[in-house]
Amino acid sequence: MSAAQATTPLLAVRGVRAAYGKIEALKGVDVEINAGEIVALIGANGAGKSTLMMTIFGRPRARAGTIEYDGHDITGVPTHEIARLRIAQSPEGRRIFPRMSVAENLQMGADATECTEAEREAGLDRVFALFPRLKERVAQRGGTLSGGEQQMLAIGRALMSRPRLLMLDEPSLGLAPLIARQIFDAIRTLNRQDGLTVLIVEQNANHALKLAHRGYVMVNGLITLAGTGAELLQRPEIRAAYLEGGRRG
Ligand SMILES: Nc1ncnc2c1ncn2[C@@H]1O[C@H](COP(=O)(O)OP(=O)(O)OP(=O)(O)O)[C@@H](O)[C@H]1O
Ligand SMILES: [Mg+2]
């Protein structure tokens, strides 16, 4: 592999704008994610974090700019085709299927991409090794799971599509600290052992920046700061806005 190939990011978002009607939520966003990285996106309520994640996934469509993934221009590509390129997301609020069993929810994830029976079995083994509670509750309806278990299921469902890039929107939201820690530990394990590339949106800036190799700060539809997780944790403006007296964790 040449040096140029080695530095080509897995995902490159360049000058992306997106809007809901007249409300411009992204005003020209640049974000890069290298293969094997965990990248955190932090920012206040309404900054546009979820919108960026959804725009990468094809909805809403980018009104300007480009999104490149693994050498493909995926700007404007429909969501189901993006999923086939092995990008998966666990959206804000989890959105599991409450009436379906844990097993059926996981199957929905497998159905997002073509996979062999052996790959599906391997996927289930991986998910159950990460989250043994899901194995114990495999026949239980999704809607009857605890909040933490539903988050595990949402991540498990995303993993069943065998992503190379996993995007997680606020995976620790509303969870007790111990459960949130289990979720962060699972993300770290997936990154270290499976080489999974992760984009994580978090209100828990402290945990997210400790977990991430690099981070971006979004304010009002624009990236205002970028750096390593450790650098960002030290920045006074980050500490003031997101760690001390802000949304702490
Ligand atoms: N479906 C929608 N229709 C109209 N406006 C929307 C919609 N979704 C988001 N917005 C607006 O777009 C802006 C960015 O919202 P977004 O949900 O991306 O922010 P966020 O950073 O994820 O916030 P939070 O931390 O609260 O989840 C906000 O002004 C929001 O009101
Ligand atoms: Mg959000």
Side-chain angles (χ1 to χ4, degrees):
M1 193 188 282
S2 74
Q5 278 174 321
T7 55
T8 302
L10 180 63
L11 183 85
V13 174
R14 295 200 180 96
V16 162
R17 292 175 173 268
Y20 302 98
K22 287 184 179 156
I23 298 171
E24 196 169 40
L26 302 180
K27 300 173 181 169
V29 171
D30 297 294
V31 164
E32 289 191 348
I33 305 177
N34 298 308
E37 272 188 324
I38 301 177
V39 170
L41 178 63
I42 63 171
N45 290 122
K49 306 178 300 295
S50 296
T51 302
L52 177 60
M53 192 168 276
M54 293 190 294
T55 303
I56 293 167
F57 216 58
R59 205 175 301 149
R61 295 254 172 116
R63 289 195 174 174
T66 58
I67 305 170
E68 270 180 38
Y69 169 75
D70 196 23
H72 302 268
D73 182 352
I74 61 165
T75 326
V77 169
T79 293
H80 65 277
E81 287 179 31
I82 292 174
R84 272 196 225 124
L85 293 170
R86 315 259 301 271
I87 301 180
Q89 70 163 348
S90 169
E92 195 172 333
R94 297 158 199 153
R95 313 243 184 93
I96 55 142
F97 302 105
R99 299 222 169 104
M100 291 186 183
S101 69
V102 166
E104 287 164 341
N105 269 277
L106 293 173
Q107 182 59 41
M108 295 295 285
D111 290 344
T113 51
E114 281 165 30
C115 71
T116 65
E117 187 56 27
E119 284 166 339
R120 198 183 71 89
E121 291 292 327
L124 281 176
D125 286 348
R126 188 69 183 119
V127 170
F128 292 151
L130 277 174
F131 303 121
R133 285 211 204 182
L134 292 182
K135 188 169 190 180
E136 293 163 18
R137 289 160 177 73
V138 71
Q140 196 170 315
R141 279 192 193 184
T144 65
L145 297 175
S146 73
E149 290 159 358
Q150 290 190 21
Q151 185 60 57
M152 293 171 194
L153 181 55
I155 295 174
R157 185 179 62 188
L159 290 174
M160 288 302 290
S161 66
R162 299 178 303 123
R164 289 185 63 204
L165 172 64
L166 176 64
M167 303 194 294
L168 303 167
D169 197 346
E170 310 238 14
S172 79
L173 189 64
L175 303 185
L178 185 69
I179 306 296
R181 181 159 297 282
Q182 287 175 14
I183 299 286
F184 284 111
D185 285 347
I187 296 165
R188 188 178 283 113
T189 299
L190 284 163
N191 174 256
R192 290 202 183 149
Q193 295 183 1
D194 304 19
L196 185 65
T197 307
V198 178
L199 173 63
I200 179 170
V201 167
E202 255 301 331
Q203 39 105 28
N204 190 330
N206 186 29
H207 281 174
L209 292 175
K210 280 183 183 153
L211 174 74
H213 300 103
R214 288 191 306 114
Y216 290 91
V217 180
M218 187 176 261
V219 176
N220 213 352
L222 285 169
I223 300 295
T224 56
L225 268 179
T228 67
E231 278 164 8
L232 292 178
L233 274 171
Q234 295 306 319
R235 298 283 294 232
E237 60 269 53
I238 303 276
R239 303 198 66 82
Y242 307 111
L243 300 174
E244 292 156 5
R247 302 169 83 184
R248 70 170 72 230

